Amino acid sequence: MAKAALSGECIFPPGLPCVFHSERMLWPFFFLVAAIHAELCQPDGENAFKVRLSIRTALGDKAAQLLWSLQKVSCKLSDEWLNCPWGSSIKAKFSPLLCLFLCIYFRYAWDSNEEYLFKAMVAFSMRKVPNRETTEISHVLLCNVTQRVSFWFVVTDPLKNYTLPAVEVESAIRMNRNRINNAFFLNDQTLEFLKIPSTLAPPTDSSVPIWIIIFGVIFCIVIVAVMLLVLSGIRQRRRKNKEPSEVDEAEDKGEATITIENGIPCDPLDTKGGHINEAFMTEEERLTPL
Amino acid sequence: MEKARPLWASPLQFVFACVSYAVGLGNVWRFPYLCQLYGGGSFLVPYLVMLVVEGMPLLYLELVVGQRMRQGSIGAWRTISPYLGGVGVASVVVSFFLSTYYNVINAWAFWYLFHSFQDPLPWSVCPVNGNRSGYEEECEKASSTQYFWYRKTLNISPSIEESGRLQWEPALCLLLAWLVVYLCILRGTESTGKVVYFTALLPYCVLTIYLVRGLTLHGATNGLLYMFTPKVEQLVNPKAWINAATQIFFSLGLGFGSLIAFASYNEPSTDCQKHAVIVSLLNSCTSVFASVVTFSIYGFKATFNYESCVNKVILLLTNAFDLEDGFLTADNLEQVKAYLSSAHPGKYGEVLPQMRNCSLKSELDTAVQGTGLAFIVYTEAIKNMEVSQLWSLLYFCMLLLLGVGSMLGNTAAILTPLTDSAAVSRRLPKEAIAGLVCLVHCAVGLLFTMEAGNYWFDIFNDYAATLPLLLIVLVETLAVCYVYGLRRFESDFKAMSGRGLSWYWKVMWAGVSPLLIVGLFVFYLSDYILTGTLQYQAWDATQAHKSPSGCRPEKQLC
């Protein structure tokens, strides 16, 4: 099974999709192109860059999971119309239209049209470099396309005598990396240009860190609450201070006499309905003070 | 004339206060670790035995003492015997230490809470380095969550000798944490009684939400199976029993004086036996509940890491051999590897050193406890969940509620003796006393916001409370049973509440519990003596991991 995959044949193990329908048609074309430009575009050649795509990782898995959980809907229709490789081992239970939709929306196979788009994007990037505005799509050569999907490419001069220096190509690709990625619905990790490092997005720093704003809000709320409680406590105490002074005046007038026994006034005893006699409760505390 | 002692508005407030004090961070980050270390499901056996034999009797004893003496720890022990006031003072000093370093955790929780409002979460991505060609080196070597904890939050120095400067960000969060605690305690039981409704109940709501979320996570069952598979051979390991006893002891918060303080605000006729049983059972059930949540999160994190590892190997092989993208999956990986090694041995040999051996078991085996669990492992799991900001918010709110709930008890242990003392309360109103206490704690706590602050925190956490508490509770038990006299205590109790004391409590107080505590005390003392110099783990920024030289596993924080 693994051997078959490596040699480029189409395999149908249960559950493994196949991507090679179109590849078989393209092999003679590649040989022809390679024969003409054999010297210029070579793996590890001078000024050549290797590109690696992970289309299934980026786009296919979401659809794949959805489909598996929809109990293996068949895509015979989409298989024929779009080369969407879901494998004939999956049987239909739901409308193929859903499958078609998913296939169109999510997945594309790497074929000669996609390669044309890639060449166009590279040519577009090179046109933005000063002195290279006349770069055409035919000046971009691809070779060694594997099933990974990975390939090597070079950009040649208009007469196709030599390849353009790697530094220029690299800087052109880096400037337009985002647009190249978007053309294929991929990102820096799934469309890799080996040897061209990607520029990481700058951190989006606002002038005031968000956490300070939230801290400030909560801090102010807590301070206000503390102030409120403290002030209401002070007010309560002031009210209580006024009352005993009034009671004292009444006592001075001799309206109420307080009998004292054993140092504890009898009247203010809170007997709690006769259940607890505070005289006995407070006695021990008096004898063993804090 | 004596001012009427403030009381709880209802017995429910008292129960909630005790529950919110006992159910703290230790239930979330210490118990799951112990469970994992000492045999999973079978750890529950020594845990429950110790609960019944040691936890409940000692908790009941403290509640009865507080309720009977109706004073804070200093006054209560002086009443028991004029020579034993020192026990109360010792409780207050230990509570002071604990409050100082415990609130730093709340400060860190606030820090993470405020940072949860960003998208993406700041600990989920590594910051880009100076020339934007890659990520920060320290972050690459460690993980983004570790980097955020050690560099952004703590800004940790390489060793405790290099104290560094005061970090203003954690200092601000510490100030806020103390303000929140002050807000909750400034009116005494009046304000505390209302706050404990939230601090006792809301963590359960969040834990339930997390339970549902955790159980539905991909890979949660791996963690749960791993945890609950009992390893019966651990039952004969004495360390399992010692750790179970220690965990019950510290988890209930015995010996700090907080329980005495809370109980002193009770009506004398309250049935504290029922409350003691309820509080201790709830505390243990919460531990088990929290460990179910923790282990489903562990399982998710371990499965996620394992699958990432496998995907990395797949990518490596796909690129090296130019296989079709998507051909290699986790299912056929082993077959393909075998085929490739036989068909293309040279190329396979080149790739082999870069391939990591991915093992789900080794991911699950990484047992973590303490701040490492709460701020590194959990945040790593949260960053991989959908809507991670919401989960992060919920989680840190829960940590804050648990932490503040425990702080209420810790500060009550210090405030109650102060407000009971006539000398102090005559001169200052209780709001001012509370304010002064919080101010002093905050000022001392600024030590933990320096660059070496986390090392100080580790040292305090490991060594500040263990031995003193064991000694305090031992003296408490002996004092009540033998100095004051168990019979006299029983008759006092009957006079106070109108009920008798069950024989079970008397046996436990007089015999079993003191023996257990003596055993624990001897064990820890000999452990310290045999280990020699006390040690801590240092973070090495160049290697981005904790220094391996002579490391001890972190001790408890309950």
Side-chain angles (χ1 to χ4, degrees):
Chain A
M1 176 183 87
K3 227 180 187 173
L6 288 172
S7 65
E9 279 173 15
C10 203
I11 46 172
F12 292 102
L16 276 181
C18 156
V19 122
F20 303 123
H21 308 287
S22 50
E23 291 285 292
R24 245 183 269 142
M25 294 187 306
L26 290 171
W27 283 113
F29 177 75
F30 286 146
F31 281 0
L32 189 64
V33 170
I36 295 172
H37 302 292
E39 325 83 49
L40 287 177
C41 178
Q42 275 180 2
D44 289 322
E46 190 191 347
N47 301 328
F49 289 95
K50 185 169 181 185
V51 180
R52 201 153 55 196
L53 286 96
S54 312
I55 304 172
R56 190 165 191 269
T57 313
L59 304 174
D61 272 358
K62 262 190 234 163
Q65 278 166 26
L66 199 59
L67 286 178
W68 286 120
S69 67
L70 287 174
Q71 305 195 11
K72 299 162 190 165
V73 180
S74 147
C75 262
K76 268 202 187 138
L77 229 65
S78 34
D79 262 346
E80 282 155 22
W81 290 0
L82 287 176
N83 265 340
C84 187
W86 297 119
S88 57
S89 55
I90 325 167
K91 293 297 169 217
K93 266 212 185 137
F94 296 99
S95 110
L97 284 174
L98 172 65
C99 196
L100 194 63
F101 165 76
L102 291 167
C103 188
I104 299 168
Y105 189 73
F106 284 124
R107 189 77 145 80
Y108 56 84
W110 188 258
D111 56 10
S112 56
N113 297 327
E114 304 289 336
E115 288 185 12
Y116 190 81
L117 178 59
F118 181 81
K119 288 190 213 176
M121 295 304 296
V122 174
F124 162 76
S125 311
M126 288 309 296
R127 281 180 166 228
K128 297 217 155 164
V129 176
N131 293 334
R132 299 287 176 208
E133 285 91 345
T134 51
T135 313
E136 296 292 332
I137 293 178
S138 51
H139 300 159
V140 182
L141 306 173
L142 264 62
C143 52
N144 229 54
V145 186
T146 66
Q147 65 227 33
R148 167 67 180 79
V149 173
S150 70
F151 50 84
W152 292 82
F153 78 93
V154 289
V155 187
T156 62
D157 70 310
L159 297 169
K160 299 210 176 70
N161 289 336
Y162 59 89
T163 55
L164 297 184
V167 186
E168 278 186 33
V169 179
E170 180 178 331
S171 70
I173 302 276
R174 282 189 85 172
M175 297 281 224
N176 300 287
R177 191 64 188 271
N178 215 23
R179 295 192 70 171
I180 303 178
N181 286 348
N182 283 337
F184 293 99
F185 305 129
L186 299 172
N187 58 29
D188 281 358
Q189 279 75 46
T190 39
L191 171 56
E192 295 170 80
F193 288 83
L194 303 180
K195 285 194 286 173
I196 301 183
S198 51
T199 315
L200 299 168
T204 47
D205 271 339
S206 54
S207 52
V208 180
I210 300 179
W211 77 269
I212 289 204
I213 300 174
I214 301 172
F215 169 81
V217 168
I218 301 207
F219 193 77
C220 291
I221 294 177
V222 172
I223 293 258
V224 164
V226 167
M227 292 278 117
L228 279 176
L229 279 182
V230 169
L231 287 173
S232 70
I234 293 177
R235 224 180 301 138
Q236 259 180 9
R237 211 168 297 114
R238 236 180 259 154
R239 227 179 290 142
K240 244 189 271 171
N241 280 340
K242 266 192 231 146
E243 288 174 12
S245 61
E246 291 165 5
V247 172
D248 279 343
E249 288 168 16
E251 285 176 3
D252 283 345
K253 288 182 189 155
E255 283 183 88
T257 51
I258 304 170
T259 37
I260 304 217
E261 184 163 334
N262 266 341
I264 303 169
C266 291
D267 283 339
L269 279 179
D270 183 9
T271 51
K272 286 207 189 220
H275 292 146
I276 296 173
N277 193 339
E278 283 234 332
F280 288 99
M281 289 298 289
T282 55
E283 188 176 7
E284 272 201 35
E285 284 160 272
R286 191 172 59 87
L287 292 174
T288 53
L290 186 59
Chain B
M1 196 198 76
E2 288 269 337
K3 236 192 325 184
R5 190 174 183 76
L7 294 171
W8 297 109
S10 72
L12 196 62
Q13 278 189 0
F14 167 65
V15 175
F16 279 168
C18 289
V19 166
S20 89
Y21 168 66
V23 172
L25 295 167
N27 299 66
V28 172
W29 73 30
R30 174 89 182 145
F31 180 80
Y33 169 76
L34 288 177
C35 224
Q36 185 175 7
L37 220 51
Y38 293 114
S42 56
F43 182 71
L44 288 175
V45 172
Y47 188 70
L48 287 172
V49 168
M50 288 298 165
L51 172 70
V52 170
V53 160
E54 181 201 1
M56 278 193 216
L58 293 173
L59 178 69
Y60 187 36
L61 177 71
E62 292 219 355
L63 291 184
V64 169
V65 167
Q67 195 169 306
R68 166 76 187 83
M69 304 302 164
R70 309 198 81 216
Q71 290 178 78
S73 50
I74 300 184
W77 294 110
R78 250 199 230 148
T79 315
I80 296 248
S81 156
Y83 301 108
L84 283 178
V87 175
V89 176
S91 292
V92 170
V93 171
V94 177
S95 288
F96 177 81
F97 284 145
L98 183 75
S99 310
T100 316
Y101 77 80
Y102 201 91
N103 220 17
V104 182
I105 305 173
N106 289 336
W108 291 330
F110 268 120
W111 167 267
Y112 270 83
L113 183 75
F114 297 147
H115 279 87
S116 307
F117 287 91
Q118 291 174 11
D119 178 34
L121 289 172
W123 54 83
S124 59
V125 287
C126 270
V128 174
N129 69 9
N131 55 3
R132 284 211 256 142
S133 59
Y135 297 115
E136 287 266 350
E137 202 190 323
E138 196 181 345
C139 193
E140 290 267 283
K141 287 206 183 128
S143 68
S144 53
T145 43
Q146 282 184 316
Y147 177 78
F148 188 76
W149 170 243
Y150 286 111
R151 191 52 48 212
K152 289 284 151 105
T153 311
L154 300 175
N155 197 15
I156 207 162
S157 63
S159 77
I160 201 170
E161 284 88 12
E162 303 158 47
S163 324
R165 312 164 296 131
L166 197 78
Q167 308 295 308
W168 62 270
E169 298 102 336
L172 275 183
C173 292
L174 182 67
L175 182 65
L176 178 64
W178 275 111
L179 274 174
V180 169
V181 170
Y182 179 55
L183 178 66
C184 298
I185 61 173
L186 82 94
R187 283 286 191 84
T189 48
E190 195 187 312
S191 53
T192 310
K194 298 201 178 50
V195 172
V196 292
Y197 282 112
F198 292 106
T199 57
L201 291 176
L202 278 182
Y204 286 105
C205 292
V206 179
L207 270 176
T208 313
I209 296 174
Y210 254 94
L211 181 73
V212 175
R213 171 78 265 223
L215 289 176
T216 52
L217 282 172
H218 166 63
T221 37
N222 293 335
L224 286 174
L225 276 172
Y226 180 78
M227 174 193 164
F228 284 112
T229 319
K231 301 181 192 79
V232 190
E233 64 274 8
Q234 287 288 342
L235 277 179
V236 294
N237 180 3
K239 285 216 146 191
W241 292 86
I242 289 174
N243 274 298
T246 313
Q247 173 63 13
I248 288 277
F249 193 88
F250 291 108
S251 179
L252 288 173
L254 305 166
F256 287 100
S258 315
L259 295 162
I260 297 181
F262 281 154
S264 70
Y265 297 117
N266 259 347
E267 298 257 359
S269 54
T270 318
D271 178 14
C272 51
Q273 175 179 282
K274 190 173 62 169
H275 295 152
V277 173
I278 291 176
V279 169
S280 46
L281 275 178
L282 260 179
N283 183 46
S284 301
C285 289
T286 313
S287 292
V288 178
F289 185 34
S291 56
V292 171
V293 175
T294 302
F295 273 93
S296 47
I297 305 261
Y298 260 165
F300 165 70
K301 171 184 161 304
T303 310
F304 187 87
N305 286 346
Y306 169 70
E307 286 176 358
S308 304
C309 175
V310 167
N311 283 335
K312 279 202 191 107
V313 172
I314 288 177
L315 190 65
L316 187 67
L317 282 175
T318 312
N319 288 341
F321 290 96
D322 273 331
L323 302 171
E324 184 210 336
D325 175 33
F327 167 66
L328 262 183
T329 62
D331 305 318
N332 62 7
L333 182 63
E334 292 304 316
Q335 295 170 293
V336 175
K337 267 164 83 173
Y339 168 72
L340 287 173
S341 59
S342 59
H344 308 270
K347 218 174 179 184
Y348 192 76
E350 286 168 31
V351 179
L352 193 59
Q354 300 165 42
M355 283 203 308
R356 280 174 48 205
N357 256 335
C358 302
S359 149
L360 186 60
K361 186 165 184 306
S362 69
E363 294 281 343
L364 285 169
D365 266 337
T366 51
V368 195
Q369 56 154 344
T371 50
L373 172 61
F375 295 109
I376 298 179
V377 172
Y378 256 94
T379 47
E380 197 175 317
I382 287 172
K383 82 174 197 232
N384 297 323
M385 296 185 196
E386 279 116 49
V387 202
S388 40
Q389 281 81 8
L390 172 68
W391 298 110
S392 175
L393 266 173
L394 270 180
Y395 173 66
F396 288 110
C397 277
M398 180 187 75
L399 276 194
L400 272 172
L401 286 168
L402 290 172
V404 170
S406 300
M407 279 305 294
L408 296 179
N410 294 330
T411 46
I414 304 171
L415 273 182
T416 310
L418 285 176
T419 48
D420 285 346
S421 131
V424 180
S425 61
R426 222 180 298 144
R427 296 205 185 90
L428 294 167
K430 65 172 184 277
E431 286 94 342
I433 303 177
L436 267 175
V437 167
C438 290
L439 193 66
V440 171
H441 274 118
C442 192
V444 179
L446 287 176
L447 162 75
F448 300 109
T449 58
M450 294 201 289
E451 283 179 28
N454 196 41
Y455 300 132
W456 287 102
F457 177 85
D458 280 342
I459 291 184
F460 266 79
N461 187 21
D462 291 354
Y463 303 113
T466 327
L467 284 184
L469 281 176
L470 288 170
L471 187 62
I472 288 173
V473 176
L474 179 65
V475 174
E476 282 182 5
T477 328
L478 296 177
V480 166
C481 294
Y482 300 109
V483 175
Y484 193 75
L486 198 52
R487 271 186 228 281
R488 193 169 146 206
F489 193 69
E490 193 182 348
S491 59
D492 281 351
F493 182 78
K494 262 202 198 118
M496 170 183 82
S497 68
R499 292 179 207 97
L501 268 181
S502 156
W503 62 268
Y504 177 73
W505 304 119
K506 286 189 275 189
V507 168
M508 288 295 137
W509 291 343
V512 181
S513 300
L515 284 174
L516 253 171
I517 300 174
V518 168
L520 283 177
F521 192 76
V522 166
F523 169 76
Y524 279 111
L525 203 57
S526 55
D527 190 41
Y528 289 156
I529 294 174
L530 287 173
T531 318
T533 33
L534 307 177
Q535 288 161 338
Y536 66 97
Q537 294 188 46
W539 173 257
D540 185 354
T542 51
Q543 304 294 325
H545 65 85
K546 287 214 148 170
S547 153
S549 56
C551 288
R552 281 163 64 98
E554 281 181 82
K555 280 264 190 175
Q556 66 280 53
L557 172 70
C558 312

